[in-house]
Amino acid sequence: MESRTSKSRVGRRQFLKGVAGAGLMLAAGPALSRVSAQPKEVKVGFLLPLTGAFAEAGQLNKQAVEMAVEEINQAGGVKSLGGARLVALFGNSSTVDEANTETERLIAREKVIGIIGAYSSGATLSSTVIAERAGIPYLVPNALADEITGRGLKYVFKSVPHFSQFAINGGELVRDLSKKAGLEVKTAGLVRENNFFGNVVGREFNKHIPSFNLKIISDNVFPTNPTSFEDVILRLKQDNPDAVFAAGEPSSITLLFQQLNELRYWPRLGWVGVGGGYSNPITWKNLGKLANGLIAVNDWFPDIKRPGAQEINARFKTRTGLDMLGNANTTYAGVHIFYATLEKAGSTDGAKIRDALAGLDLTSGAPMFMYERVKFDQTGFMTYAKLVGAQVRDGQARVIWPESLKVTDAVWPVPDWGRRG
Amino acid sequence: MTAEILVQAMVLGLLQGGIYALVAAGLTLIYGVMKVVNFAHAEFLTLGMYLAFSAYTLLGVSPYLAAVFALGLVFVLGAAVQRTLIRPALRHPQINQLLITIGLSTMLIGAMQIIWGPRNYVVPLPWGRATLGLGDLRVTYTRLIAFGVAVAIAAGFWVFLKRARGGLAIRAAAQSPDAARLMGINVERVNLVTFGLGTGLAALAGALIAPVFFINPTFGIDYFLLPAFVIVVLGTMGNFVGAMVGGLVIGLAESFGGLLLGAALRQFASLAVFVLILLWLPRGVFGGRMT
């Protein structure tokens, strides 16, 4: 582990030196005429929920964007565009309507050369269509719905796992952990929000979970902005599933866990949360001890065994005081993927950037802190976007699944409230 | 469905209803006296939550003590808002007042996001998760306190309205501002105090529920504005006791509706009760039959 960290650090220094050298060469006289023909800056639009219910995650993602853009500019900007600086322009995607208006604004008024966003799947599905019509490449590093790709849109690329993977991997995780502990698991419960994301959760889990010999016996949908979860919990208590799969946002999860504890309900085996809300460090911080034992399935965790993961997380933590989660990690990777695309394209033309994205194949560079390879399939989906499971212990998520990436063993079954330390 | 679960649903519904009632009380008071529908009401609740949070985390002051200060502080703020924004518009069409309070709501949410950030916070009371167990029934102390204080304050305020001179002045100004003015009541001052009290009650409710829920800038508007309006209309707009009863009715309807129909249809259940009552009593429970 140590050697890995130090190796990557040397690599970065060498890289910076190289960049500084390249910058000097570009600044030299003979190159000047060529440089002046190139744009001084390239504008990239970022759609994030900066206000409203998802503002917390949106603001965290914004900080991840700013960190990535700073790094890229400090290392000399886009070298294939004569060292043009990346400029991040932000648009609010709190609601579908707002995301659409902001997409129009970013494209028509700000003349962005690409868009990255838009956090919520609903806002992404509609705003991608607007960008497609304008011929502006759109990278989705933070919205999960499967339908985002595969609609025949040529300018849309997705570098975050599909939602169906959460259902499949969630099922695998519960099966593997139970098998290892020698426990039988037959029934599952679902807890999800009554919005686009929650409905996708319901559809995918109901579709995939039965293939693991698991029967969903309690499917609970809660309203957006619930003032209580008591009815959900009382129903779970009555249906008594072995394990519960759940999705939600930090605010509703906080309330849910407070009331789970209050009503002393805990499923026989454990609680598996999927998606950004459950893997958000703010959720664990707010819950304190209540989060102990919770299993979160997500695309990444800071202690994962990948090059640069700890280092990048540490830098982010210095800036924000928080771990790089809640899709801040995927958004950060998205900026670097887009930057690598621009280097490859050497152009600000939408069609050329689109072609560069379609033909991208990275096995080194910043995005490797998350992915083993960056390459998009025919539909524009990055098949190397995969999921891992982690268990929360004292505010820290430790990777426990799959076997190849785990750093510690899972506690399974997770003891109920009365038997916890 | 076992009896145990039904009893639990009833108790939890009543507790939730008590909190709704306190939030709705300030709203109905302001409407009753000034006929102003205050769309920024929920933001004063959120502000109360933040004040309790900051008092606890920065100064180590109990959120329940902070509730008293929140009441005072927001009383002054509410009175200032009334003097500068509401009073000049009182004789204008109601749509003006409506738009002013909607604008105020947006401004307050923005201000709170600037001061406290968009992050969710919880008040980390060490005993915040402790529960009182009665047989199979479990209720957190924080919820019991919020409910108890809400009911006590509502009752105390009701006595104040009925017995005290100030209460009489408020009721007189509500009934007929012009007649009250002729009787020597300073209606402008009554309006100022009422608005301060109404918003202060919202902040007090906010501070009381801060340890029960979580806090973010849009908490009030997201979670409490709609139930508060439903309760106020259900209990007849401007009727203080009506708000109390309406709060409990909606709390129970949500609790049983969620249990029987599923949580997603919880609001359907409470709004169905609301519509049915209004069909029968268009002016709300305390408005009397229309003739």
Side-chain angles (χ1 to χ4, degrees):
Chain A
M1 204 60 117
E2 271 304 303
S3 66
R4 190 188 293 274
T5 317
S6 58
K7 227 191 261 168
S8 72
R9 216 171 259 156
V10 170
R12 193 165 64 91
R13 271 193 201 137
Q14 281 170 345
F15 175 68
L16 284 173
K17 263 184 213 159
V19 166
L24 275 176
M25 271 165 64
L26 283 171
L32 255 179
S33 55
R34 212 183 68 220
V35 172
S36 58
Q38 300 276 11
K40 285 210 175 63
E41 53 184 40
V42 284
K43 291 179 182 173
V44 181
F46 289 88
L47 288 170
L48 290 168
L50 300 172
T51 62
F54 303 147
E56 181 173 40
Q59 295 287 347
L60 200 66
N61 276 254
K62 184 172 180 245
Q63 287 179 300
V65 169
E66 284 163 351
M67 176 168 137
V69 168
E70 261 176 51
E71 286 166 6
I72 291 163
N73 287 337
Q74 269 165 20
V78 186
K79 286 165 281 295
S80 72
L81 291 172
R85 287 164 45 80
L86 273 191
V87 177
L89 295 171
F90 293 93
N92 192 7
S93 62
S94 305
T95 65
V96 173
D97 284 345
E98 224 161 338
N100 292 347
T101 318
E102 291 283 76
T103 309
E104 308 258 17
R105 176 181 70 86
L106 287 169
I107 294 173
R109 192 126 42 95
E110 304 290 357
K111 310 270 182 245
V112 296
I113 59 159
I115 289 179
I116 298 178
Y119 192 77
S120 81
S121 292
T124 308
L125 280 167
S126 62
S127 56
T128 43
V129 176
I130 295 171
E132 173 87 9
R133 231 184 283 142
I136 296 294
Y138 194 131
L139 180 65
V140 182
N142 44 23
L144 303 173
D146 292 42
E147 296 90 331
I148 290 170
T149 56
R151 286 178 296 167
L153 299 182
K154 288 204 170 67
Y155 283 79
V156 179
F157 296 85
K158 184 179 177 220
S159 59
V160 70
H162 278 333
F163 198 82
S164 53
Q165 289 168 259
F166 281 88
I168 296 165
N169 294 154
E172 284 171 353
L173 178 143
V174 166
R175 179 196 62 195
D176 293 353
L177 295 187
S178 302
K179 202 170 159 191
K180 208 170 158 190
L183 293 161
E184 215 178 4
V185 48
K186 280 185 177 153
T187 55
L190 273 184
V191 177
R192 57 196 174 94
E193 193 173 333
N194 189 17
N195 59 6
F196 179 84
F197 182 63
N199 290 330
V200 176
V201 172
R203 190 188 64 207
E204 297 300 331
F205 273 84
N206 279 306
K207 189 161 119 195
H208 295 289
I209 288 300
S211 59
F212 299 97
N213 285 329
L214 267 169
K215 198 170 167 220
I216 295 181
I217 54 165
S218 185
D219 189 353
N220 300 280
V221 185
F222 60 87
T224 301
N225 300 327
T227 42
S228 97
F229 274 97
E230 280 134 4
D231 37 19
V232 170
I233 298 166
L234 292 179
R235 283 192 131 192
L236 282 172
K237 227 178 195 174
Q238 189 169 291
D239 297 338
N240 197 21
D242 292 335
V244 172
F245 295 102
E249 281 302 314
S251 50
S252 58
I253 297 168
T254 308
L255 187 61
L256 171 62
F257 267 66
Q258 283 171 354
Q259 297 190 341
L260 278 174
N261 174 255
E262 192 175 325
L263 295 176
R264 284 280 185 269
Y265 172 74
W266 189 251
R268 191 171 68 87
L269 295 179
W271 192 284
V272 180
V274 296
Y278 274 98
S279 47
N280 190 325
I282 295 168
T283 309
W284 312 330
K285 197 178 159 216
N286 279 343
L287 289 176
K289 273 189 177 166
L290 296 188
N292 275 342
L294 165 69
I295 289 179
V297 176
N298 195 30
D299 38 47
W300 185 80
F301 289 96
D303 74 349
I304 198 171
K305 286 195 243 166
R306 289 222 189 271
Q310 283 92 341
E311 193 204 357
I312 289 169
N313 187 61
R315 280 210 301 277
F316 189 73
K317 209 164 180 172
T318 318
R319 287 173 78 103
T320 64
L322 288 165
D323 284 322
M324 193 185 241
L325 283 162
N327 286 117
N329 53 317
T330 53
T331 302
Y332 171 86
V335 184
H336 276 284
I337 291 173
F338 197 78
Y339 158 71
T341 309
L342 286 179
E343 287 290 13
K344 184 170 175 242
S347 165
T348 55
D349 177 63
K352 289 198 176 123
I353 298 171
R354 186 250 154 229
D355 290 343
L357 261 170
L360 200 66
D361 188 357
L362 299 175
T363 48
S364 65
M368 300 307 120
F369 83 103
M370 276 198 62
Y371 313 111
E372 77 183 80
R373 191 172 173 189
V374 175
K375 193 175 181 338
F376 295 93
D377 71 8
Q378 296 230 304
T379 65
F381 175 59
M382 200 182 87
T383 41
Y384 291 90
K386 295 213 169 110
L387 294 170
V388 286
Q391 194 162 38
V392 181
R393 285 178 206 160
D394 302 315
Q396 287 287 322
R398 314 304 311 275
V399 175
I400 47 125
W401 185 91
E403 286 288 318
S404 59
L405 292 171
K406 78 170 187 192
V407 294
T408 182
D409 281 317
V411 174
W412 189 263
V414 181
D416 72 19
W417 303 109
R419 284 179 286 130
R420 288 194 196 172
Chain B
M1 195 98 12
T2 63
E4 173 216 333
I5 285 180
L6 288 175
V7 170
Q8 187 135 30
M10 188 181 76
V11 170
L12 294 170
L14 282 175
L15 290 181
Q16 186 77 15
I19 294 168
Y20 280 156
L22 187 62
V23 179
L27 194 61
T28 208
L29 188 69
I30 291 170
Y31 180 81
V33 174
M34 267 164 283
K35 303 292 176 283
V36 169
V37 181
N38 179 19
F39 273 94
H41 193 69
E43 276 57 65
F44 292 100
L45 170 99
T46 317
L47 186 60
M49 295 180 90
Y50 273 122
L51 290 175
F53 167 77
S54 289
Y56 183 73
T57 49
L58 299 179
L59 309 171
V61 175
S62 155
Y64 299 106
L65 186 61
V68 181
F69 290 105
L71 173 68
L73 211 70
V74 174
F75 175 87
V76 175
L77 179 70
V81 164
Q82 198 276 343
R83 182 67 192 82
T84 52
L85 297 177
I86 309 291
R87 189 160 138 192
L90 270 183
R91 302 252 171 203
H92 294 174
Q94 216 166 18
I95 184 82
N96 289 17
Q97 303 150 18
L98 211 86
L99 290 175
I100 287 172
T101 60
I102 291 174
L104 180 65
S105 154
T106 309
M107 280 166 60
L108 284 172
I109 290 172
M112 288 188 286
Q113 181 162 339
I114 289 170
I115 298 171
W116 284 283
R119 189 175 291 184
N120 283 293
Y121 288 110
V122 293
V123 178
L125 274 186
W127 52 273
R129 314 263 183 264
T131 52
L132 177 73
L134 293 168
D136 290 322
L137 208 65
R138 292 191 159 275
V139 186
T140 48
Y141 291 107
T142 51
R143 210 175 262 267
L144 278 175
I145 294 173
F147 178 79
V149 176
V151 170
I153 287 194
F157 204 77
W158 185 74
V159 171
F160 164 77
L161 282 178
K162 288 280 168 201
R163 299 281 162 83
R165 275 184 76 84
L168 191 67
I170 288 179
R171 282 190 296 138
Q175 219 166 51
S176 168
D178 293 330
R181 210 168 271 127
L182 287 174
M183 299 301 127
I185 293 171
N186 185 344
V187 175
E188 271 66 46
R189 208 167 122 202
V190 168
N191 284 347
L192 193 78
V193 170
T194 308
F195 203 89
L197 268 179
T199 51
L201 278 181
L204 177 80
L208 285 175
I209 62 171
V212 180
F213 291 100
F214 53 88
I215 314 159
N216 63 45
T218 54
F219 178 85
I221 196 167
D222 287 345
Y223 290 74
F224 277 91
L225 190 65
L226 183 67
F229 273 118
V230 166
I231 289 159
V232 165
V233 176
L234 185 68
T236 304
M237 293 196 69
N239 190 311
F240 197 78
V241 179
M244 297 294 116
V245 175
L248 296 181
V249 168
I250 293 298
L252 283 174
E254 283 195 352
S255 183
F256 282 108
L259 188 63
L260 301 174
L261 305 174
L265 292 178
R266 181 195 299 152
Q267 278 195 327
F268 169 78
S270 66
L271 292 175
V273 168
F274 173 63
V275 169
L276 285 177
I277 291 180
L278 285 193
L279 275 177
W280 183 43
L281 297 165
R283 292 181 189 160
V285 176
F286 291 84
R289 299 291 298 263
M290 294 259 257
T291 46

